[in-house]
Amino acid sequence: MAETYENAGGTTVPIVPAVPYADPRGDPFLRTRFALPARPATFLWRQRLVQHLGQALVTPLTLVNGPAGAGKTLLAADWAAGLRQPVAWLTVEAGDRRPGVFWAYVLQALRACGASASDAVGAPADASRVDRKLLAALAAELNDRDRPVVLVLDEYDRMTDPEVTEQLEFVLHHAGSGLHLVLVTRTEPLLPLHRYRAAGELTEIRAAELAFTPEEAVALLELHGLSLPVPAARALVDRTQGWAAGLRLSALAALESADPELYLKEFDADRSTVADFLLAEVLRGQPEETQDLLLRVSVLERFSPELANALTLRTDAEPILAGLHRDNAFVEYLGHSSYQLHPLFREILRAHLRVRLPGLEPELHRRAARWLRRSGFLPETLAHGAAAGDWDFAAGALVDDLAIGQLFTGLRSDDLTQLFSHMGPEARSPATDVVRAARDLSRHDLDHGLARLRLAEEHLTDDVPDPAAAQLSCALLEALAARLTGCPPRAERAAVTADGLRQEVPAHLLDKHPELTALLLTHLGSARLWAGRFEDARAALTTATAAPGGASTVLPREDALEHLALLDYLDGWLGRAERKALAAVSEMERVGLPQPSGSGIGQLVLAAVAVDRHELGRAQALLDETAQLPAGAHDPVPAAGRALATARLLLVRGKARAAVEAAGPDVSAAVASPWATSHEALVTAAAHVAEGRPDAAAEVLQGVSVDQPACAVEAAAIHLATGRPRVAIDLLDGLRTGSRAGPAVTVRAALVRAQAAQEAGDTATARRLVAHALLDARRERLRRPFLDAGAWLGPLLATPPLHELAAGWLTPGSPRHGEQPEEPPTPLVAVELSGRERDVLERLARMMSTEEVAADLYVSVNTVKTHLKSVYRKLAVNRRGDAVRRARDLRLL
């Protein structure tokens, strides 16, 4: 009976009797090398890869290139098993490096699949060489075939003889359409791939495509009997980078665990079958120098050849790393001379480093930190300095780079705080004192922060070489401390010191860290605002809002803009204040920083504006939200802003005693603020009037600063209400000319004068003043002064000219004191929603969830959230229900 082989397609084919059964060495052919590898029961068929591999039937050359365990062989075998044309499969071995042996096995593989070579082709007789005539005859015979043959050379990375590769290219070229060659390999073959690629004659499947997606990982784990949610699978894929062997080995180990899901989340890579695989397949097959390099760079997230050389103290990293990447040895090239290790491989190598070279890891981190500092990579410098336990070096790098402001910018603040939280008391340099002070002040821990700042400044007077950067960092912290303690003179001294020190530090460092100057100006502006020096505060804060730096200065710019909004409100410019507060929120959204942020001054301003427009529900909602912000707890300006807005809201709701209790800022300050003190006195005086104690009100008003126009006007209104019209008019007459007072001030002043004129019997003057007040107030939708004016105003508003001016926003049906107006107010800033934003809003009104809106609009959930944030910002709300109500009020729905 004739001997047969089963070909790749499963067909039994007789072997031609004249064919030799041994290779040129005389050894029998190993038939297992011609058989398709068996696919295990847990093999996952992936349609996207099979479809891509199908292009191998239209290109002469196909490359399946990936690291060990990437699933290359099983993918190719599964694809080949489904083909109808002949498939010759050959698993290459190290002994095939000699041309005669290699081509003998190739010819045998062709015969095994039924694509028998004729006697004219012959067989190699010499293991070390092959006759060119044989190759030409083989190529010609393949070229004459009606049905092309697919030749799969698995583990082709074992073929290192350039002569064999040259011969293979010769046969492939001259075989024409009769041969499709598929190379399954870990390394780049020596073939001129660029030529095939340029001609469109190459199909490539590489490691990135072979990697499992989270959804594929879920399906693979299910084949192993494990059920894992997609988020957990995504974390596993991130850790393994979708590496097939890593996923399979992890799944097998998890099956033996009591909690498979927890195991897959937390398994120790260095004590797993994954470690055994990588050490055996990758590390131990490398030369000693390569192993040493891999172990040492395992302490790095990413690295250049120069950095690797700094760790090995050699100069051969570049060719070694290039070779490892070319050989798919779990070293990834990132471009720009930068590499990184596969995450699991890195974990395993670090554990192996501690065993093979105990005690070396801190020194490697130290070398890396110093190299990175010289090269200008500050974040990596700090990370490795901390990992080495060299806190003096790490803190010194942060301070000398003028990067202390990054503890306050919202971008890296949490990372830096976490990094330096491990710094122990043994670190005693001036730089560590500066960092400790900054860390404490960033958390508003004034007691510890100020003590450590004093200590740092004392140490800097010692023999510290080139202390300018550290002293400038201390000046920033002094300005912050002055702001938080309500001490404007201290802030001014810090600003003067900083101005002098800027001349002593390199200009490129100031350009590199614009956040330092922006923060200092914002703290100075806040302190000046607290002192009631509004124009000086406005100058510093306006300069801060123009700071360059993009995301690095967004938090101080937002903070400065919110302070400017408060200044506008205190000066009576409601519309300007609202626009600046909304712009601050918009800026934070633009750069993607979490919301809400900062001290919440912007929301407090919006709440105060809402009170003046008699939008009491909206004001309460905004105040409720700011109550959750801890950042302003020890900052006197937002504390005073919160007290002011809260007290005014309580006052208009008729809760006089509660308003008095809420009027005082719940912070201590070194210097009293004239406007904060005045507004507290005004609330108290208004409460006395409401409770029928005019004399007590007049006494309290003695503490009101007449240098603040808004406060003087409100004091005049209260004096008039207590029967002191002369005092009220004198206060108004005493206001300085050229004031920046806005409509909220001028309208109240006009109404006080109008009431005094009306009570004096001068109705014409009263009517004229009320008309001017209505014109100014209508632009701002300013209702509160009219609601607070009292009964005298009603008859005047009923007269035709004034009634027309009030119609549509104040009347008809003007509410009684303390009641919600019948007609909801419209915003000063015109609201324009995009078509998609309206679509989202309409579905919110139908009580649809975010996921339901996304599905209904055929967009992602993240896209819906982005539209929602924009809608909230434009409508100046923070909740879905409020957005729908406000949109209906504005007739947008």
Side-chain angles (χ1 to χ4, degrees):
M1 181 176 178
E3 193 167 1
T4 61
Y5 284 101
E6 184 178 285
N7 72 1
T11 304
T12 301
V13 179
I15 294 178
V16 178
V19 172
Y21 296 99
D23 64 27
R25 298 166 299 189
D27 296 332
F29 286 116
L30 301 175
R31 298 175 185 174
T32 54
R33 295 177 57 190
F34 308 128
L36 290 182
R39 276 81 70 204
T42 54
F43 172 77
L44 179 68
W45 184 82
R46 293 189 281 172
Q47 183 178 7
R48 62 182 179 87
L49 292 178
V50 173
Q51 286 179 338
H52 191 177
L53 195 49
Q55 296 178 17
L57 299 180
V58 295
T59 58
L61 179 61
T62 295
L63 186 68
V64 183
N65 188 335
K72 308 179 296 296
T73 297
L74 291 179
L75 168 66
D78 180 67
W79 169 75
L83 296 180
R84 295 184 178 181
Q85 53 264 67
V87 177
W89 182 282
L90 174 61
T91 301
V92 178
E93 292 189 351
D96 297 343
R97 292 172 186 168
R98 290 179 288 180
V101 176
F102 173 78
W103 284 107
Y105 264 94
V106 169
L107 290 169
Q108 191 67 5
L110 290 169
R111 294 184 180 105
C113 75
S116 302
S118 68
D119 293 340
V121 175
D126 186 343
S128 61
R129 60 179 298 276
V130 65
D131 194 329
R132 188 77 166 189
K133 292 181 180 180
L134 183 150
L135 299 177
L138 174 60
E141 190 166 297
L142 289 171
N143 190 41
D144 290 339
R145 287 184 59 86
D146 294 331
R147 298 179 64 202
V149 62
V150 177
L151 172 60
V152 181
L153 299 180
D154 188 27
E155 300 194 37
Y156 188 73
D157 46 277
R158 295 174 176 175
M159 175 51 65
T160 58
D161 188 342
E163 182 182 359
V164 170
T165 301
E166 183 182 344
Q167 293 166 351
L168 188 62
E169 185 188 2
F170 171 82
V171 172
L172 178 61
H173 176 69
H174 291 288
S177 60
L179 175 64
H180 296 293
L181 177 62
V182 179
L183 301 181
V184 182
T185 176
R186 298 185 191 181
T187 65
E188 289 290 282
L190 299 176
L191 292 165
L193 298 180
H194 62 282
R195 274 193 246 148
Y196 288 94
R197 193 178 290 120
E201 295 179 343
L202 176 64
T203 298
E204 295 180 87
I205 296 179
R206 295 187 174 269
E209 190 174 356
L210 290 167
F212 276 68
T213 66
E215 293 74 19
E216 290 171 346
V218 169
L220 178 67
L221 294 173
E222 286 178 351
L223 290 174
H224 286 80
L226 295 171
S227 179
L228 201 67
V230 172
R234 183 172 289 109
L236 180 61
V237 167
D238 288 341
R239 190 176 181 192
T240 61
Q241 289 193 341
W243 178 44
L247 292 170
R248 288 192 174 93
L249 293 171
S250 300
L252 292 172
L255 289 172
E256 301 177 5
S257 170
D259 189 339
E261 184 173 342
L262 182 63
Y263 174 86
L264 291 173
K265 181 180 180 182
E266 301 179 352
F267 71 90
D268 292 328
D270 58 296
R271 299 182 181 179
S272 67
T273 55
V274 177
D276 296 337
F277 181 94
L278 285 172
L279 292 175
E281 290 288 330
V282 181
L283 185 64
R284 290 177 186 142
Q286 302 293 340
E288 189 65 30
E289 295 80 3
T290 302
Q291 290 190 37
D292 180 69
L293 182 144
L294 286 170
L295 290 171
R296 289 169 184 257
V297 298
S298 68
V299 303
L300 305 169
E301 292 286 346
R302 56 179 60 196
F303 47 89
S304 65
E306 293 78 14
L307 177 53
N309 284 334
L311 268 58
T312 62
L313 303 180
R314 304 197 310 264
T315 60
D316 57 355
E318 187 164 9
I320 291 177
L321 291 171
L324 289 168
H325 169 65
R326 186 173 57 250
D327 294 345
N328 274 315
F330 293 86
V331 175
E332 182 182 356
Y333 180 63
L334 304 174
H336 305 290
S337 297
S338 182
Y339 294 85
Q340 71 178 11
L341 299 175
H342 185 285
L344 275 181
F345 193 33
R346 180 171 176 264
E347 285 185 58
I348 294 161
L349 287 173
R350 287 191 70 177
H352 208 51
L353 169 69
R354 296 174 187 133
V355 174
R356 283 181 53 173
L357 299 169
L360 182 62
E361 190 172 354
E363 174 60 23
L364 293 174
H365 282 296
R366 192 171 289 108
R367 292 180 195 174
R370 278 155 176 74
W371 187 92
L372 288 161
R373 185 176 183 182
R374 290 193 301 271
S375 302
F377 298 101
L378 182 63
E380 295 85 352
T381 296
L382 300 179
H384 287 287
D390 194 344
W391 295 108
D392 292 341
F393 175 84
L398 183 74
V399 172
D400 289 346
D401 201 71
L402 281 186
I404 197 72
Q406 291 186 355
L407 279 160
F408 306 94
T409 60
L411 295 173
R412 299 193 61 237
S413 307
D414 292 343
D415 292 341
L416 288 174
T417 299
Q418 176 65 25
L419 181 81
F420 284 102
S421 67
H422 302 290
M423 182 167 61
E426 71 282 356
R428 302 291 295 273
S429 69
T432 58
D433 291 333
V434 172
V435 171
R436 287 191 182 99
R439 188 182 61 194
D440 292 337
L441 290 174
S442 72
R443 299 190 296 235
H444 298 119
D445 183 351
L446 293 178
D447 292 338
H448 289 96
L450 292 174
R452 284 168 170 157
L453 182 56
R454 294 283 79 79
L455 189 63
E457 291 170 336
E458 290 171 7
H459 285 173
L460 285 172
T461 62
D462 300 336
D463 295 331
V464 177
D466 195 17
Q471 290 171 339
L472 185 52
S473 298
C474 286
L476 169 65
L477 300 183
E478 283 285 358
L480 173 58
R483 169 182 173 174
L484 295 178
T485 56
C487 186
R490 184 177 187 176
E492 297 293 343
R493 290 194 297 271
V496 171
T497 300
D499 284 340
L501 289 168
R502 283 194 187 92
Q503 312 305 317
E504 301 181 29
V505 298
H508 76 273
L509 288 181
L510 290 170
D511 293 339
K512 180 181 177 183
H513 293 291
E515 72 276 358
L516 188 142
T517 301
L519 286 164
L520 198 148
L521 285 170
T522 302
H523 300 331
L524 177 63
S526 181
R528 287 175 173 176
L529 194 160
W530 179 251
R533 295 167 51 197
F534 286 2
E535 293 309 306
D536 293 337
R538 195 182 303 275
L541 294 167
T542 301
T543 305
T545 60
S552 69
T553 58
V554 66
L555 200 59
R557 283 188 282 115
E558 178 219 21
D559 196 12
L561 197 58
E562 289 185 325
H563 276 76
L564 287 171
L566 179 57
L567 278 172
D568 281 337
Y569 176 79
L570 293 174
D571 280 339
W573 296 95
L574 269 61
R576 294 180 187 176
E578 182 181 57
R579 285 192 289 271
K580 286 186 174 71
L582 291 175
V585 175
S586 177
E587 176 69 5
M588 295 298 291
E589 287 181 356
R590 188 181 64 80
V591 299
L593 285 181
Q595 291 288 332
S597 63
S599 58
I601 294 178
Q603 287 171 293
L604 291 171
V605 169
L606 292 174
V609 169
V611 172
D612 281 348
R613 291 180 178 159
H614 202 64
E615 301 171 2
L616 305 187
R618 179 171 173 245
Q620 187 64 63
L622 288 164
L623 285 173
D624 290 344
E625 288 177 5
T626 60
Q628 307 303 318
L629 296 176
H634 300 282
D635 192 336
V637 170
R642 187 190 314 278
L644 170 62
T646 302
R648 288 189 177 281
L649 179 59
L650 290 169
L651 202 59
V652 301
R653 284 179 165 170
K655 301 177 181 180
R657 282 298 93 198
V660 172
E661 293 175 5
D666 190 20
V667 293
S668 59
V671 175
S673 171
W675 62 269
T677 303
S678 295
H679 281 289
E680 182 179 358
L682 289 168
V683 170
T684 303
H688 285 321
V689 171
E691 294 170 348
R693 294 194 296 273
D695 292 339
E699 184 178 350
V700 170
L701 290 177
Q702 299 303 313
V704 174
S705 171
V706 295
D707 291 334
Q708 306 288 330
C711 297
V713 169
E714 288 198 41
I718 296 174
H719 276 302
L720 186 60
T722 60
R724 296 176 172 84
R726 189 67 261 163
V727 176
I729 298 302
D730 287 345
L731 269 178
L732 296 181
D733 290 342
L735 290 178
R736 64 181 186 271
T737 58
S739 167
R740 294 176 60 96
V745 176
T746 58
V747 166
R748 285 187 172 89
L751 289 177
V752 171
R753 292 183 184 277
Q755 183 178 356
Q758 180 76 351
E759 291 176 356
D762 189 353
T763 303
T765 298
R767 186 180 294 110
R768 175 176 54 80
L769 289 168
V770 171
H772 282 303
L774 286 169
L775 286 170
D776 288 345
R778 184 167 61 180
R779 288 193 293 269
E780 300 271 2
R781 297 295 186 263
L782 178 61
R783 293 171 173 78
R784 196 68 251 158
F786 299 94
L787 299 177
D788 292 338
W792 68 272
L793 185 59
L796 288 178
L797 290 179
T799 60
L802 297 183
H803 178 76
E804 184 178 348
L805 289 174
W809 67 278
L810 186 61
T811 59
S814 292
R816 292 188 302 275
H817 182 79
E819 290 185 351
Q820 190 74 16
E822 295 178 5
E823 286 293 323
T826 56
L828 179 66
V829 182
V831 176
E832 294 183 4
L833 300 181
S834 69
R836 185 59 79 181
E837 288 167 353
R838 287 178 180 272
D839 291 340
V840 170
L841 195 55
E842 287 170 358
R843 283 156 180 80
L844 286 188
R846 302 206 300 264
M847 304 297 288
M848 294 173 68
S849 68
T850 304
E851 291 76 12
E852 289 170 336
V853 173
D856 198 44
L857 294 176
Y858 298 99
V859 297
S860 69
V861 171
N862 284 337
T863 299
V864 173
K865 290 179 178 178
T866 299
H867 289 312
L868 280 176
K869 288 174 65 177
S870 179
V871 169
Y872 291 167
R873 176 178 58 80
K874 291 179 179 180
L875 296 179
V877 299
N878 297 87
R879 295 185 178 90
R880 293 181 173 211
D882 293 340
V884 172
R885 283 191 294 273
R886 191 154 175 79
R888 284 174 174 153
D889 292 343
L890 300 175
R891 297 178 177 85
L892 296 174
L893 286 176

